[in-house]
Amino acid sequence: MRINGQQYRTIWLTDSTDVDDITDIKIKSVSIIDQTKLPHRFVVTQINMLDQMVVAIKTMQVRGAPLIGAAAAYGMALAVQQDGSDASLESAATHLIHSRPTAINLRWAVQRMLDVLQPLPVARRNEAAWFEAAVICNEDVELNRMIGAHGLHLIAPLAAQQSRAINILTHCNAGWLATVDFGTALAPIYAAHDAGIAVHVWVDETRPRNQGASLTAWELAQHGVPHTVISDNAGGHLMQKGAVDMVIVGADCVTLTGDVCNKIGTYLKALAAFDQNVPFYAAVPSPTIDWSIEDGVKSIEIEERDAREVAWMTGRLASGEIAEINILPPGTKVANPAFDVTPARLVTGIITEQGIYAPHELNAMQR
Amino acid sequence: MRINGQQYRTIWLTDSTDVDDITDIKIKSVSIIDQTKLPHRFVVTQINMLDQMVVAIKTMQVRGAPLIGAAAAYGMALAVQQDGSDASLESAATHLIHSRPTAINLRWAVQRMLDVLQPLPVARRNEAAWFEAAVICNEDVELNRMIGAHGLHLIAPLAAQQSRAINILTHCNAGWLATVDFGTALAPIYAAHDAGIAVHVWVDETRPRNQGASLTAWELAQHGVPHTVISDNAGGHLMQKGAVDMVIVGADCVTLTGDVCNKIGTYLKALAAFDQNVPFYAAVPSPTIDWSIEDGVKSIEIEERDAREVAWMTGRLASGEIAEINILPPGTKVANPAFDVTPARLVTGIITEQGIYAPHELNAMQR
């Protein structure tokens, strides 16, 4: 997608001029867009070592399930570049997997890297790791392009019945910033917009980290898609008033049975959509489906994140300077569960690269 | 209630030393706690004229349905103090009623002042206005005390079955800061706490104005009631996990049929409570019930407030200085509906000064 008119992905390989003394191989590093700085500053950060990538994932400089997967793959490559031994591989895998417990793509990408690298002799692992990480990135782009193509088939018929823009509500950021490119939840929206269909996006602010207000609003603006930011509290009312034609969210994990684990607050929007007969979709690439989990509410471990995320907020002062403020009375106790699980009974369908499935049909998908 | 150990109401009469030249009567003014400055600063503001009171209501220096009613009554008294003519009364009433369209208590209080003042000769209106406004304040305190007493009967039996604290979720601020004293939604909680029952309050942050994070957290802390602030997105998940025993909210308006119009986002919490079999109560004094409205979703006009409320946020910098930041990309469009309507089918009961009523029983109340 474009930033200020220039083509970008969210993660890419940086060819360094440094050359390894012994192997004579160019040392590689990875560039990411530091998403904690958006929408106020556009900062590209270079990642040279595994530990930096673990920090980038933990602090959400990179976030979004598919992008975390890609970042983890490159994290493995960075680890192998330094030390290709079995011990190094295992240690890197452990570190990466523990950086965000809920992210199934992360475990999936790390396991895939292990499956490719472990059978190889140590000397061949470096090249293979960089190659495989790039393949994972390219596959993600292709999966998302397909999600967009399938999702377009939900939006186009609605648009054909209406002379107004189709209103789609989304929560958090499952746009191209959450993936390597195109996005998941926003892929159908970009596909529709690019096909000349009038769409308008209700962007949930998405407290506590404000990914909607800061990331989704920013990337939609960069691409020219009309949108309006609302507080997370407003979506139910808008659905009640007929102002929402469809909800599309991403997911950090979808279970075999179609339960959707996504950013905290998704469950509330799904309840409102169900109550108001608004179709509710989760858009995910198939690696986001955890075929081992049946009951998402019971089985999925919900990450409890730092109280600081609720207490402190970043923005621009009237002067334009970036500042962080604390909105709570001093000493206030905070709870910060980062995700919730929307039971399949509230989900209209799962938009995947293979097509659109009702929750109970997921089992029929190619794994 | 107490602030730093000292007893306060949210609005009170200030005896001025100024004396009217002609009538030789002491000129009165009204003191309010400027709630836009909380929780960072405790500021008392003196209101000398109607226009200042209209601004105080519009900018939410005073807010909360019952307190707005009391403030409007004093606004009428301030108008009469300046000019007791019929024209002045009517103009004051119009200004006050338009300052917050959703607030039924405001209309109720203004009408009550008109009913008392209009039949009187102009010369007697000033004294009568101040007297009636004080009566409205005292009645509010008494109504809220009774709401607390009735609500206690919901909490006490739960506490008797549990060896842990009773977890009550509330949205926005319907505490003593929203009334003249005691609060509505928080009155049962204060009553339980003061009766030695262990209660813990989940405090919804309540975007966009953060009344939960700034006002409810602040007043619960002042009174020593254990509480935890959560993002508005978290309540559904907490109910799903069994961490909420009861929801109690206030309301700006309850219809004859039990529909509850309250701060935006209440509907989403009610949906979750219904889905998870958590009892959902609105606590209101009877003047908050609009006996003329049957279908709240269709009939209640929802106030659309300034986009600034979503874009800008106030808090403390690390230095302790108060600052305001903009969290959105420049030029982002915002929608800001301030209230929503929770249909009666999701409401377990309405806690009033006369007792607790199921929505369909409201009609049996003394009006």
Side-chain angles (χ1 to χ4, degrees):
Chain A
M1 308 297 280
R2 285 190 302 275
I3 300 171
N4 302 323
Q6 198 184 325
Q7 200 66 31
Y8 274 92
R9 285 184 172 185
T10 50
I11 189 165
W12 62 94
L13 209 60
T14 328
D15 259 331
S16 163
T17 51
D18 295 338
V19 172
D20 188 287
D21 289 342
I22 300 166
T23 62
D24 204 34
I25 294 175
K26 270 194 185 169
I27 293 174
K28 291 189 171 75
S29 66
V30 179
S31 289
I32 59 163
I33 298 168
D34 181 352
Q35 301 195 22
T36 63
K37 299 290 192 291
L38 289 174
H40 310 297
R41 283 178 296 192
F42 174 62
V43 176
V44 171
T45 298
Q46 195 171 314
I47 307 277
N48 303 311
M49 303 202 317
L50 168 69
D51 289 354
Q52 292 173 299
M53 190 63 91
V54 168
V55 169
I57 294 171
K58 265 192 185 161
T59 62
M60 298 174 68
Q61 291 181 309
V62 289
R63 24 69 53 201
L67 176 54
I68 289 174
Y74 274 123
M76 292 295 289
L78 287 164
V80 170
Q81 177 170 260
Q82 249 184 323
D83 174 358
S85 70
D86 284 352
S88 162
L89 275 181
E90 275 161 35
S91 158
T94 305
H95 271 82
L96 285 163
I97 285 170
H98 285 96
S99 59
R100 289 292 300 278
T102 314
I104 178 175
N105 296 55
L106 194 158
R107 292 201 298 281
W108 169 85
V110 167
Q111 192 55 52
R112 175 159 158 182
M113 294 296 284
L114 286 176
D115 290 348
V116 166
L117 299 173
Q118 277 171 333
L120 295 178
V122 172
R124 290 192 46 206
R125 286 178 178 174
N126 186 34
E127 195 186 354
W130 291 107
F131 181 83
E132 192 64 19
V135 169
I136 285 176
C137 287
N138 290 337
E139 282 180 7
D140 179 58
V141 175
E142 192 47 33
L143 292 180
N144 299 334
R145 193 198 308 273
M146 293 304 296
I147 288 171
H150 290 299
L152 176 59
H153 294 307
L154 296 172
I155 301 171
L158 281 182
Q161 295 161 22
Q162 302 283 355
S163 56
R164 55 164 177 79
I166 299 305
N167 292 300
I168 302 173
L169 185 142
T170 193
H171 191 67
C172 197
N173 175 263
W176 77 268
L177 285 169
T179 64
V180 178
D181 205 349
F182 291 111
T184 52
L186 297 194
I189 292 168
Y190 287 125
H193 178 81
D194 291 349
I197 295 172
V199 284
H200 165 262
V201 184
W202 294 111
V203 178
D204 274 359
E205 176 183 37
T206 319
R207 289 281 293 142
R209 290 187 66 94
N210 302 358
Q211 291 98 331
S214 53
L215 304 179
T216 301
W218 183 82
E219 67 162 270
L220 288 172
Q222 291 288 336
H223 202 77
V225 180
H227 60 283
T228 304
V229 170
I230 51 174
S231 77
D232 299 303
N233 285 321
H237 169 70
L238 293 173
M239 292 186 217
Q240 221 177 27
K241 291 293 177 186
V244 181
D245 296 304
M246 185 187 297
V247 179
I248 312 181
V249 298
D252 291 71
C253 171
V254 169
T255 67
L256 167 66
T257 50
D259 294 341
V260 173
C261 178
N262 189 41
K263 187 62 49 189
I264 190 81
T266 303
Y267 167 50
L268 293 169
K269 294 309 151 62
L271 283 166
F274 190 80
D275 196 49
Q276 299 294 330
N277 283 312
V278 173
F280 179 95
Y281 293 96
V284 293
S286 55
T288 305
I289 301 171
D290 189 330
W291 302 106
S292 72
I293 300 182
E294 296 222 355
D295 185 335
V297 176
K298 274 196 192 147
S299 308
I300 296 175
E301 182 198 350
I302 300 296
E303 185 181 353
E304 175 78 24
R305 293 185 57 88
D306 197 323
R308 266 191 72 86
E309 295 188 344
V310 176
W312 290 85
M313 200 130 15
T314 302
R316 292 183 312 283
L317 297 167
S319 66
E321 200 187 331
I322 308 301
E324 213 188 353
I325 57 172
N326 187 327
I327 60 164
L328 297 181
T332 301
K333 199 176 149 195
V334 164
N336 184 17
F339 301 92
D340 62 24
V341 177
T342 298
R345 62 185 155 87
L346 305 174
V347 178
T348 309
I350 312 287
I351 310 172
T352 76
E353 78 279 5
Q354 295 178 35
I356 299 160
Y357 295 83
H360 68 271
E361 296 169 343
L362 271 186
N363 224 343
M365 272 185 73
Q366 241 183 338
R367 306 191 189 180
Chain B
M1 309 297 278
R2 283 189 304 274
I3 300 170
N4 302 323
Q6 198 183 325
Q7 199 65 28
Y8 274 92
R9 284 185 172 186
T10 50
I11 189 164
W12 62 94
L13 209 60
T14 327
D15 260 329
S16 162
T17 51
D18 295 337
V19 172
D20 187 288
D21 289 340
I22 300 166
T23 62
D24 203 37
I25 294 173
K26 269 194 185 171
I27 293 173
K28 290 188 171 76
S29 66
V30 178
S31 290
I32 59 164
I33 298 168
D34 181 352
Q35 301 194 21
T36 63
K37 299 291 191 293
L38 291 173
H40 310 297
R41 283 178 298 191
F42 174 62
V43 176
V44 172
T45 299
Q46 195 170 314
I47 307 277
N48 304 310
M49 302 202 319
L50 168 68
D51 289 356
Q52 292 174 299
M53 190 62 91
V54 169
V55 169
I57 294 171
K58 264 192 186 160
T59 62
M60 298 175 69
Q61 291 181 312
V62 288
R63 26 67 55 201
L67 176 54
I68 289 173
Y74 273 123
M76 292 295 289
L78 287 165
V80 170
Q81 176 169 261
Q82 247 183 324
D83 174 358
S85 69
D86 284 353
S88 163
L89 275 181
E90 275 161 35
S91 157
T94 306
H95 271 83
L96 284 163
I97 285 170
H98 285 96
S99 59
R100 289 293 300 279
T102 314
I104 178 175
N105 296 54
L106 194 159
R107 292 200 298 282
W108 169 87
V110 167
Q111 191 56 53
R112 175 159 159 180
M113 294 296 283
L114 287 177
D115 290 347
V116 166
L117 299 174
Q118 277 171 333
L120 295 178
V122 172
R124 291 190 46 204
R125 286 178 178 172
N126 186 35
E127 196 187 353
W130 291 107
F131 181 82
E132 192 65 20
V135 169
I136 286 176
C137 287
N138 289 336
E139 283 180 7
D140 179 58
V141 175
E142 192 47 34
L143 293 181
N144 299 335
R145 193 198 309 272
M146 292 304 296
I147 288 171
H150 290 300
L152 177 58
H153 293 307
L154 296 172
I155 301 172
L158 281 182
Q161 295 162 21
Q162 302 284 355
S163 56
R164 56 164 176 80
I166 299 305
N167 292 300
I168 302 173
L169 184 141
T170 192
H171 190 66
C172 197
N173 175 263
W176 76 268
L177 284 169
T179 65
V180 179
D181 205 349
F182 291 111
T184 52
L186 297 195
I189 292 167
Y190 287 126
H193 178 81
D194 291 348
I197 294 171
V199 283
H200 165 262
V201 185
W202 294 111
V203 178
D204 274 0
E205 174 184 38
T206 319
R207 287 283 292 145
R209 290 186 67 93
N210 302 359
Q211 291 96 331
S214 52
L215 303 179
T216 300
W218 183 82
E219 67 162 90
L220 289 172
Q222 290 288 337
H223 202 77
V225 180
H227 60 282
T228 304
V229 170
I230 51 174
S231 77
D232 299 303
N233 285 322
H237 169 71
L238 293 174
M239 292 186 218
Q240 220 176 29
K241 291 293 177 186
V244 181
D245 295 304
M246 185 187 300
V247 179
I248 312 181
V249 298
D252 291 71
C253 171
V254 170
T255 68
L256 167 66
T257 50
D259 294 342
V260 173
C261 178
N262 189 42
K263 189 60 52 192
I264 191 81
T266 302
Y267 167 50
L268 293 169
K269 294 309 150 61
L271 283 166
F274 190 81
D275 196 49
Q276 298 295 329
N277 283 313
V278 173
F280 179 94
Y281 293 97
V284 294
S286 54
T288 305
I289 302 172
D290 189 330
W291 303 105
S292 72
I293 301 181
E294 296 220 355
D295 185 335
V297 176
K298 275 194 191 147
S299 308
I300 296 175
E301 181 197 350
I302 299 295
E303 185 181 355
E304 175 77 26
R305 293 185 57 88
D306 197 323
R308 266 192 72 86
E309 294 188 345
V310 176
W312 290 84
M313 201 131 13
T314 302
R316 292 183 313 282
L317 297 168
S319 66
E321 200 187 332
I322 308 301
E324 214 188 353
I325 57 171
N326 187 328
I327 61 165
L328 297 181
T332 301
K333 200 177 148 196
V334 164
N336 184 17
F339 301 92
D340 62 24
V341 177
T342 298
R345 62 185 154 87
L346 305 175
V347 177
T348 309
I350 313 287
I351 310 173
T352 76
E353 77 279 3
Q354 296 177 35
I356 300 161
Y357 296 83
H360 68 272
E361 296 169 342
L362 270 187
N363 223 341
M365 270 185 75
Q366 240 183 336
R367 304 189 191 181

